[in-house]
Amino acid sequence: MESSKVIHAFYTDDEILLDAVKAVKAKHHHIEEVFCPFPVHGLDKAMGLAPTRLAITSFLYGITGLAVAIWLTKYIMIEDWPQDIGGKPNFTWWANMPAFVPILFELTVFFAAHLMVITFYMRSRLWPFKEAENPDPRTTDDHFLMEIPVHNNEVELTKLLTNTGAVEINIVDKH
């Protein structure tokens, strides 16, 4: 595997980082990753990242949960073991549906929440015993790190990053 060089530019303020990302993108440089100790509003848009489709999957998981809840209540309470509750037997799902609303709601939320967590971990490639990809532990405390690939333009990138307010700039081999 061939190693490539990247520049790690450190920032201590999220607003300065956001302005730096915009400046680097304006010069048409590719930003590999930005490591932050907390979410920075607008950073995804500044980096040009595509919007997430997790909301669509959440909706589909909720619909799946609702369908399972409808099937479950119909099968258990109408077909398999119909019960005379309060002296008013009714053997249609539609007539009994108001009593099933809590079950329908809970299974909708249950499926959406649990399947979203699984989807998020799979999409983010976060699984048990995975080693951290964080290049510097300071990014979990009070520093922001912008990682930019180097293609024989170290001087240009270093000058640009210094002008954007980087407090530290390192050129490292990324394996």
Side-chain angles (χ1 to χ4, degrees):
M1 175 191 260
E2 182 179 312
S3 66
S4 59
K5 288 185 178 181
V6 293
I7 285 187
H8 286 172
F10 290 88
Y11 296 87
T12 55
D13 185 75
D14 57 330
E15 292 297 325
I16 295 172
L17 170 77
L18 197 56
D19 292 338
V21 167
K22 291 175 185 175
V24 170
K25 292 303 275 185
K27 296 288 186 180
H28 305 291
H29 294 290
H30 173 69
I31 299 173
E32 190 69 32
E33 187 65 79
V34 176
F35 297 90
C36 303
F38 55 84
V40 177
H41 180 69
L43 183 60
D44 53 340
K45 193 173 196 174
M47 287 181 65
L49 299 177
T52 181
R53 295 184 302 267
L54 287 177
I56 296 168
T57 59
S58 178
F59 177 74
L60 294 175
Y61 294 153
I63 293 296
T64 303
L66 181 63
V68 168
I70 290 170
W71 171 81
L72 189 67
T73 53
K74 183 172 184 333
Y75 177 74
I76 292 173
M77 297 299 291
I78 305 300
E79 295 174 12
D80 185 42
W81 196 355
Q83 298 179 33
D84 180 355
I85 299 174
K88 300 176 183 175
N90 192 325
F91 302 113
T92 64
W93 187 86
W94 287 108
N96 290 308
M97 195 269 298
F100 301 148
V101 167
I103 298 166
L104 301 177
F105 173 77
E106 289 298 331
L107 280 180
T108 300
V109 172
F110 180 87
F111 270 65
H114 286 79
L115 292 174
M116 280 303 300
V117 168
I118 293 168
T119 301
F120 173 75
Y121 284 145
M122 289 174 59
R123 181 72 180 94
S124 300
R125 296 184 186 101
L126 294 173
W127 33 75
F129 312 111
K130 182 179 189 297
E131 288 189 32
E133 296 177 4
N134 193 352
D136 193 294
R138 292 179 290 175
T139 61
T140 62
D141 185 25
D142 61 351
H143 280 67
F144 302 85
L145 185 147
M146 185 186 326
E147 186 176 87
I148 305 169
V150 175
H151 305 289
N152 295 324
N153 57 353
E154 293 98 339
V155 176
E156 175 194 352
L157 279 173
T158 303
K159 184 178 177 186
L160 173 64
L161 294 169
T162 302
N163 291 339
T164 62
V167 295
E168 181 181 331
I169 300 171
N170 301 323
I171 299 175
V172 297
D173 282 332
K174 185 174 180 179
H175 301 283

